[in-house]
Amino acid sequence: MITTDILIIGAGPTGLFAVFEAGLLKLKCHIIDALPQPGGQLAELYPKKPIFDIPGYPSVMAGELVDNLMEQIKQFQPGFTLNERAETIDKLEDGTFIVTTNKGTKHHAKAVAIAGGLGSFEPRKPLIENIADYEEKGVEYFVKKPEIFEGKRVVIAGGGDSALDWSIFLSNVASEVTLVHRRNEFRGALDSVEKVQELKKLGKINLITPAEVKAIKGEEKVESLVIEREGEEMIVETDYFIPLFGLTPKLGPIADWGLEIEKNAIKVNNALDYQTNIEGVYAIGDVNTYPGKLKLILCGFHEATLMCQSVYNRLNPGKKYVLKYTTVSGVNGFDGTRKEAEKQVVKAIE
Ligand SMILES: Cc1cc2nc3c(=O)[nH]c(=O)nc-3n(C[C@H](O)[C@H](O)[C@H](O)COP(=O)(O)OP(=O)(O)OC[C@H]3O[C@@H](n4cnc5c(N)ncnc54)[C@H](O)[C@@H]3O)c2cc1C
């Protein structure tokens, strides 16, 4: 059993920054995410796009912002349960919670902060009748461990950044990479499209467009694909089929936790602390809703900060909390009390 003060569901920017704010208050955090890496939408959907509305950064790549958030929270040593979806929640008599994942990992926490964004991302699957029979038998919707493709034949389908980037990356790992897209034009970044064309010329990527994978064949695992191009069918032998058609967000199991939901988002008390209708369970970032809600990273950061203050007050009844500046207290030398804050201010003035 993993134990923590605040269990954060979702390792997007909101969940990651919550670890920092909790750390300032000496609260331990553990994060669960259904994806194999932290960063939420920034890592999964647009790591190479610049963001222009993060205070103090005229421009920052989404992937770089995630790296910086990870660096900022490292000092507080959060725990991570990645690649697992938070499935059920049980409130114990003492007001603490047990959250269990789809893989059975149990987490015991004094408070739960749902920072689930648009929900847990599920891969958008192609409409191929028997595709489910080949899942984990050659059909992969994510490239979690690129090394498994070493020396193997791989067919990637899709026209966005993921399909292009992984085709480029795997052209140095797999023995054969084929990229199939239903149009001649790609939606991804121009430099990635140019790189794919260059690798095609060098014979390192086979490009089949405009075409679609219509069927999967194989006894025990994927052995070949039926690909249709302009009305003609061809068979391509392969070890792996990786359809990268994006992700569909789903609130998923959280929708059944007894929370008040409005338009696929969790209603919270925004006048106070972003707590839900279940005491001790908060919802922050894109996952919540309240009058005037804006789904922006900056708003998630603000909500995470107030949530942490509320948890601190809940767990330390009667202890007077004094707001501190990190410029005065640093990140470690403060226990939240007035006496300690005064000591820090005197030190800073000296
Ligand atoms: C293309 C694009 C461009 C954008 N540009 C900007 C911009 O310029 N500025 C800006 O402020 N915002 C921008 N946004 C919006 C911004 O990305 C979101 O506001 C932000 O990601 C919300 O962060 P979050 O941490 O609340 O949620 P998310 O980033 O969505 O992260 C939520 C995480 O929770 C996980 N999760 C959900 N349910 C579960 C579960 N049951 N178990 C385990 N894990 C779970 C998900 O897997 C996900 O990793 C953009 C969004 C997109 C798609």
Side-chain angles (χ1 to χ4, degrees):
M1 174 95 74
I2 291 162
T3 57
T4 190
D5 292 323
I6 309 180
L7 180 70
I8 300 168
I9 298 165
T14 307
L16 295 179
F17 190 64
V19 174
F20 180 78
E21 286 296 324
L24 292 179
L25 301 169
K26 302 208 183 309
L27 298 171
K28 285 291 289 176
C29 291
H30 188 95
I31 310 193
I32 306 179
D33 204 295
L35 292 173
Q37 78 284 322
Q41 294 174 49
L42 285 70
E44 194 60 35
L45 302 182
Y46 61 105
K48 291 183 189 156
K49 282 199 162 71
I51 308 174
F52 300 102
D53 56 351
I54 302 298
Y57 283 96
S59 162
V60 59
M61 288 290 185
E64 195 189 334
L65 181 62
V66 173
D67 291 346
N68 287 350
L69 284 165
M70 289 297 283
E71 181 62 29
Q72 192 175 20
I73 64 174
K74 202 166 69 183
Q75 58 200 320
F76 297 119
Q77 299 173 345
F80 284 92
T81 301
L82 294 177
N83 224 352
E84 297 189 29
R85 193 177 55 232
E87 202 76 15
T88 59
I89 189 166
D90 294 294
K91 192 167 187 177
L92 307 183
E93 271 180 18
D94 62 359
T96 62
F97 300 89
I98 305 269
V99 172
T100 309
T101 68
N102 58 326
K103 295 194 180 152
T105 312
K106 290 194 180 295
H107 306 78
H108 182 214
K110 293 174 189 158
V112 173
I114 304 171
L118 304 173
S120 61
F121 295 115
E122 306 286 334
R124 203 170 278 132
K125 301 181 182 183
L127 295 171
I128 297 173
E129 211 182 309
N130 57 352
I131 194 160
D133 300 341
Y134 292 100
E135 285 169 4
E136 295 183 20
K137 292 178 190 157
V139 169
E140 301 281 340
Y141 299 108
F142 296 100
V143 180
K144 288 176 197 154
K145 292 184 191 156
E147 63 274 18
I148 66 168
F149 304 109
E150 207 171 323
K152 304 283 183 197
R153 296 162 302 177
V154 170
V155 175
I156 294 174
D161 282 317
S162 289
L164 292 164
D165 291 350
W166 282 119
S167 298
I168 295 166
F169 183 88
L170 292 178
S171 69
N172 280 323
V173 177
S175 63
E176 203 177 292
V177 173
T178 303
L179 175 60
V180 182
H181 180 41
R182 65 194 165 95
R183 296 187 214 285
N184 285 323
E185 305 75 36
F186 287 89
R187 279 177 286 108
L190 190 61
D191 60 334
S192 306
V193 177
E194 283 171 1
K195 183 83 188 154
V196 164
Q197 294 293 357
E198 203 181 296
L199 290 166
K200 182 192 166 193
K201 278 190 206 138
L202 293 171
K204 294 194 80 178
I205 290 180
N206 310 318
L207 203 52
I208 308 183
T209 64
E212 267 182 83
V213 176
K214 288 288 177 191
I216 306 172
K217 296 202 179 294
E219 287 287 316
E220 306 261 294
K221 55 178 285 303
V222 174
E223 288 171 13
S224 63
L225 303 176
V226 180
I227 298 176
E228 191 185 284
R229 178 164 60 185
E230 295 175 323
E232 300 233 334
E233 282 194 352
M234 64 179 100
I235 304 282
V236 173
E237 290 189 355
T238 188
D239 301 301
Y240 287 98
F241 174 38
I242 314 175
L244 297 174
F245 295 152
L247 302 162
T248 4
K250 284 204 178 86
L251 197 49
I254 293 171
D256 304 322
W257 287 6
L259 297 160
E260 265 186 76
I261 310 267
E262 192 179 271
K263 291 191 189 142
N264 212 31
I266 303 167
K267 278 174 92 173
V268 289
N269 170 358
N270 70 308
L272 203 59
D273 55 7
Y274 302 96
Q275 210 159 168
T276 66
N277 58 311
I278 302 177
E279 207 199 321
V281 177
Y282 299 75
I284 51 176
D286 275 16
V287 80
N288 73 14
T289 185
Y290 53 83
K293 167 75 185 174
L294 288 178
K295 292 190 180 191
L296 286 175
I297 297 165
L298 156 94
C299 301
F301 289 168
H302 165 78
E303 294 163 13
T305 308
L306 295 196
M307 174 278 291
C308 290
Q309 301 284 334
S310 172
V311 174
Y312 178 88
N313 289 330
R314 244 185 113 237
L315 300 184
N316 298 283
K319 196 167 172 180
K320 183 135 179 62
Y321 173 76
V322 183
L323 177 71
K324 78 292 169 200
Y325 298 128
T326 55
T327 42
V328 175
S329 62
V331 287
N332 291 314
F334 182 70
D335 74 356
T337 62
R338 181 175 288 277
K339 214 168 133 214
E340 182 66 14
E342 280 164 0
K343 243 196 308 186
Q344 297 287 350
V345 172
V346 170
K347 235 193 252 168
I349 293 168
E350 282 169 1

